[in-house]
Amino acid sequence: MLELKNLCLTAEAEDGKKEILRNISLTVEDKKFIVITGPNGGGKTTLAKIVMGLAQPTAGRIIWNGEDVTALSITERAKRGISYGFQQPPRFKGMKVADLLQIAAGKKLGHDEACSYLTRVGLCARDYVNRDVDTSLSGGEVKRIEIATVLAKNAELMIFDEPEAGIDLWSFARLTETFQELHDKGEHTIIIISHQERIIRLADEIVLVANGQIAGRGSVDEIYPQILTETVRGCNMLEVNQKC
């Protein structure tokens, strides 16, 4: 189980200190599929990075499976079963896709096993397994390869930051199937940051984050209408401002 207790993050800004996260408390039960959504700049990615250890909170605690991991490094958190898929994944010149998958899995992978992870994210395995993870790959290709490495890691907690970014519609459809399959197996806790309705509708619960706070939490039927209402309100305000 993941427990976030009174997490805060304050950063220096030109006009003084800025509160990025404000007293966020959240419990995610084991094997749940949670989608975190909300307006851009609301703190979603920052919250996910704090869970992984890519950023440190100003205050608050992160409890994972009963252990306080707030002060642990990224490596130590990974050893404890936490994984993370970046919104903009890094590239590794000189490293083959097969090697990256093997490092993520922490064991030697057979050719067919490595290819299976690529197939699950909508890539033709024979075209990619022996390619370098470098600038010859598009952003969407690198994104899918990274998601494949998260699957190969097979961590207890999987965090994905906007997995749909830069991915074509066919591959996106395959990814949603993969997320559904992961959830149906009931072996992982899944947290996805997303704005996409098809991913949002897969969730057991939606957590709405805005202005650095949790603005709502509940089932899809409870929260999604709220999201639509706020989106329409935002569009109407934009039209008013443009007319002015």
Side-chain angles (χ1 to χ4, degrees):
M1 184 167 68
L2 176 67
E3 300 171 86
L4 309 180
K5 298 188 176 184
N6 306 114
L7 288 180
C8 300
L9 179 62
T10 303
E12 296 292 337
E14 291 182 0
D15 54 351
K17 291 186 177 181
K18 179 180 179 181
E19 288 185 300
I20 298 174
L21 296 180
R22 308 178 188 181
N23 203 38
I24 286 185
S25 292
L26 178 69
T27 298
V28 179
E29 300 290 339
D30 291 339
K31 321 305 180 190
K32 290 293 185 180
F33 188 146
I34 305 296
V35 171
I36 299 176
T37 192
N40 290 333
K44 304 181 301 297
T45 292
T46 300
L47 181 60
K49 287 182 175 180
I50 283 177
V51 175
M52 188 68 244
L54 294 162
Q56 285 297 316
T58 307
R61 294 190 300 153
I62 304 159
I63 311 297
W64 170 240
N65 288 339
E67 179 186 7
D68 190 334
V69 299
T70 312
L72 295 185
S73 67
I74 299 169
T75 301
E76 290 301 319
R77 296 187 203 199
K79 289 178 179 177
R80 285 160 172 76
I82 302 175
S83 61
Y84 186 92
F86 287 85
Q87 187 175 346
Q88 296 181 329
R91 299 170 189 266
F92 303 93
K93 184 177 180 180
M95 179 177 289
K96 302 292 184 186
V97 171
D99 295 331
L100 189 60
L101 289 169
Q102 190 161 284
I103 290 170
K107 62 180 182 179
K108 186 173 180 59
L109 296 177
H111 179 79
D112 290 345
E113 189 176 3
C115 289
S116 70
Y117 291 118
L118 297 174
T119 300
R120 290 172 70 184
V121 296
L123 291 175
C124 181
R126 68 173 180 272
D127 292 340
Y128 288 91
V129 70
N130 290 315
R131 288 186 64 175
D132 286 345
V133 189
D134 58 15
T135 54
S136 67
L137 296 172
S138 70
E141 289 170 329
V142 174
K143 187 63 175 279
R144 281 177 281 172
I145 288 167
E146 187 198 40
I147 294 171
T149 66
V150 174
L151 299 180
K153 174 67 176 174
N154 199 34
E156 187 178 346
L157 171 59
M158 296 181 174
I159 304 170
F160 299 93
D161 189 359
E162 296 193 24
E164 70 273 12
I167 293 179
D168 60 81
L169 290 176
W170 184 89
S171 298
F172 175 64
R174 184 68 190 91
L175 274 180
T176 57
E177 292 174 6
T178 298
F179 291 140
Q180 185 64 66
E181 290 165 4
L182 278 172
H183 187 38
D184 290 344
K185 287 174 67 177
E187 297 175 355
H188 308 278
T189 302
I190 303 168
I191 298 176
I192 300 182
I193 297 170
S194 181
H195 298 103
Q196 285 288 336
E197 180 181 358
R198 288 179 65 179
I199 291 180
I200 289 172
R201 290 196 176 278
L202 296 176
D204 295 319
E205 283 190 296
I206 300 172
V207 176
L208 182 60
V209 174
N211 298 317
Q213 299 175 300
I214 294 179
R217 180 179 183 179
S219 68
V220 174
D221 290 339
E222 291 171 328
I223 300 299
Y224 196 66
Q226 179 182 342
I227 296 171
L228 293 178
T229 299
E230 292 182 359
T231 300
V232 170
R233 184 185 301 120
C235 290
N236 289 339
M237 288 299 296
L238 179 61
E239 290 179 3
V240 170
N241 291 336
Q242 288 176 337
K243 289 178 181 178
C244 292

